[in-house]
Amino acid sequence: TPLIKKQAPIPVAMYGGRNAVTMLPGGGIGPELMEYVREVFKYAGAPVDFEVIDIDPMEESSGAFEYAITSIKRNGVAIKGNIETKSETAGSTSRNVALRNELDLFINILHCKSFPNVPARQKDIDVVIIRQNTEGEYAMLEHESVDGVVESMKVVTETNSDRVARYAFEFAKNTGRKKITTIHKANIMKLSDGLFLETSKKIAKLYPEVEHNDMIIDNCCMQLVSKPHQFDVMIMTNLYGSIVSNVVCGLIGGAGILSGRNYGDHYAVFEPGTRNTGTAIAGKNVANPLAMLNASVDMLNHLGHKRHADLIQRAIYKTVSEDQILTPDLGGSAKSTDVVQRVIDHILQADMRPW
Ligand code: ATP
């Protein structure tokens, strides 16, 4: 019997050879970064039409969020910035979390790979973080039981732990990765993290060709900072995933570089890896456009437009690692638009344009 349960194919909208993709710019630097993506796609000739939906952070009842969910269900694919939740009404919850739950995007993948020649605290990192994306500490089940006492539930299910572990081992097998480390705190949270750890150990037995070990989250953070090259693929619950992703991004060059992918059985959503809003730097032409451009490359690969994806990826590589056109977060003095312009120049010069 197959190890992976047969999954329904992800439906992808396609009209006249072009894909329709939902675009949720979100707040802060989201809208300007999306503008760069559209500009780069125009010059690369990427066959994608965006259905842009703005979600007002102050207005919870406008219907825009529900429209966004419907649109992603229709198109199958989305690219997004961080949606702010500013309303302080009781019970208002993060719509980023709600969106992932609603679409059952149970996996988040962050491929943390160093860019050559970018100033960073650690070099030559190549780690894949696979994170449970819909439960754990993000179950959003918090309440004040009596005055001054708040309880918050962390939910771990065998079903989702199983899905994450199987996904990770299949991923390792298919991409030639050698080792998976389960990150946990099962010494303290014996039931919840215990279940996540035990499930991954059980699945590991089905994949003898992939080495498996485990590490406590505290030690993991220390090891990542001091000896990150020992890691290959890591799996973990939701909140640890957020923290560890930020640690590794910090080692590689910050929040502005890497992209993250969210997958379920049916839908795929692409976004900057650390999911920042960047309110303080919005509108100043200083935000690093790379994380969102890398998310757009991931999206093109997912849609099967590999030549367009390669074209943009190579143009990014040349701009960053060869020409060293870097925004201030990477120690450079280039404007966001300088980086985008150079990426477009490389696309126009490339003799491997798809037409
Ligand atoms: P918020 O926007 O939620 O009020 P913030 O702007 O202080 O908070 P985050 O959005 O969480 O912080 O981002 C964390 C840090 O990463 C900030 O210093 C932000 O400027 C930086 N950052 C995030 N995205 C980028 C980017 N694309 N380019 C450069 N710096 C970035």
Side-chain angles (χ1 to χ4, degrees):
T1 50
L3 296 175
I4 288 275
K5 279 186 227 121
K6 187 98 183 84
Q7 296 176 351
I10 296 173
V12 164
M14 192 165 221
Y15 306 96
R18 296 177 66 84
N19 285 109
V21 166
T22 307
M23 177 181 267
L24 309 177
I29 54 177
E32 60 201 81
L33 299 183
M34 291 303 190
E35 200 51 52
Y36 304 144
V37 168
R38 281 186 287 195
E39 201 65 7
V40 166
F41 273 32
K42 190 169 82 190
Y43 286 97
V48 170
D49 294 314
F50 291 110
E51 188 176 0
V52 183
I53 303 169
D54 288 308
I55 298 173
D56 185 341
M58 300 302 286
E59 182 56 75
E60 294 216 11
S61 55
S62 67
F65 180 73
E66 290 70 23
Y67 172 38
I69 298 286
T70 308
S71 165
I72 298 172
K73 286 185 176 169
R74 186 172 57 235
N75 294 328
V77 177
I79 183 164
K80 78 182 272 292
N82 203 37
I83 305 166
E84 293 170 286
T85 311
K86 278 200 185 143
S87 149
E88 278 163 17
T89 51
S92 89
T93 48
S94 161
R95 271 153 319 157
N96 301 292
V97 175
L99 183 137
R100 294 192 286 271
N101 290 350
E102 191 79 22
L103 299 169
D104 192 24
L105 299 168
F106 63 92
I107 289 281
N108 177 264
I109 301 189
L110 191 75
H111 184 186
C112 308
K113 192 164 173 12
S114 302
F115 269 85
N117 296 331
V118 167
R121 284 173 184 77
Q122 289 279 3
K123 298 219 173 307
D124 301 320
I125 290 186
D126 186 355
V127 177
V128 178
I129 299 170
I130 297 186
R131 158 183 180 189
Q132 207 296 323
N133 210 21
T134 49
E135 56 182 27
E137 306 81 355
Y138 287 48
M140 300 199 292
L141 296 172
E142 292 191 317
H143 61 267
E144 192 166 13
S145 43
V146 292
D147 261 1
V149 180
V150 171
E151 292 173 324
S152 178
M153 275 199 249
K154 165 168 174 166
V155 176
V156 176
T157 62
E158 190 173 357
T159 309
N160 275 324
S161 306
D162 184 283
R163 289 208 283 184
V164 170
R166 281 178 197 269
Y167 190 97
F169 279 95
E170 277 295 306
F171 175 90
K173 198 174 94 178
N174 295 333
T175 54
R177 297 241 166 206
K178 303 272 177 286
K179 185 169 86 176
I180 293 185
T181 307
T182 301
I183 306 302
H184 63 91
K185 187 78 184 172
N187 53 334
I188 305 291
M189 277 167 274
K190 292 187 190 302
L191 288 182
S192 52
D193 280 21
L195 176 60
F196 189 80
L197 175 61
E198 282 318 308
T199 309
S200 68
K201 281 185 179 167
K202 203 168 75 190
I203 302 301
K205 291 206 174 80
L206 305 172
Y207 293 84
E209 69 276 28
V210 181
E211 187 189 336
H212 179 247
N213 66 351
D214 67 273
M215 194 179 280
I216 297 191
I217 177 70
D218 339 16
N219 185 24
C220 162
C221 288
M222 187 170 65
Q223 296 292 329
L224 270 173
V225 173
S226 50
K227 286 191 239 156
H229 302 101
Q230 67 184 286
F231 296 103
D232 190 351
V233 178
M234 308 167 85
I235 60 175
M236 60 200 81
T237 52
N238 214 340
L239 181 61
Y240 305 153
S242 176
I243 296 167
V244 168
S245 298
N246 276 265
V247 171
V248 182
C249 283
L251 292 176
I252 285 184
I257 306 183
L258 298 176
S259 53
R261 299 175 275 156
N262 303 283
Y263 294 121
D265 284 345
H266 304 290
Y267 311 110
V269 175
F270 302 90
E271 64 185 344
T274 50
R275 299 171 173 169
N276 296 117
T277 317
T279 314
I281 55 169
K284 296 187 174 152
N285 201 7
V286 294
N288 193 336
L290 297 180
M292 195 68 88
L293 287 177
N294 283 323
S296 77
V297 169
D298 293 342
M299 185 193 80
L300 287 171
N301 273 320
H302 174 79
L303 291 169
H305 300 305
K306 193 166 180 327
R307 281 188 307 160
H308 296 87
D310 288 350
L311 174 66
I312 298 172
Q313 193 170 18
R314 275 201 231 177
I316 292 173
Y317 180 86
K318 285 186 174 197
T319 302
V320 174
S321 291
E322 290 177 9
D323 305 344
Q324 303 247 283
I325 309 294
L326 306 174
T327 42
D329 55 307
L330 298 178
S333 56
K335 300 278 180 207
S336 321
T337 45
D338 297 335
V339 177
V340 176
Q341 187 56 55
R342 185 61 67 98
V343 169
I344 291 171
D345 290 346
H346 280 301
I347 288 172
L348 293 175
Q349 282 161 18
D351 55 6
M352 39 90 65
R353 280 200 286 169
W355 57 86

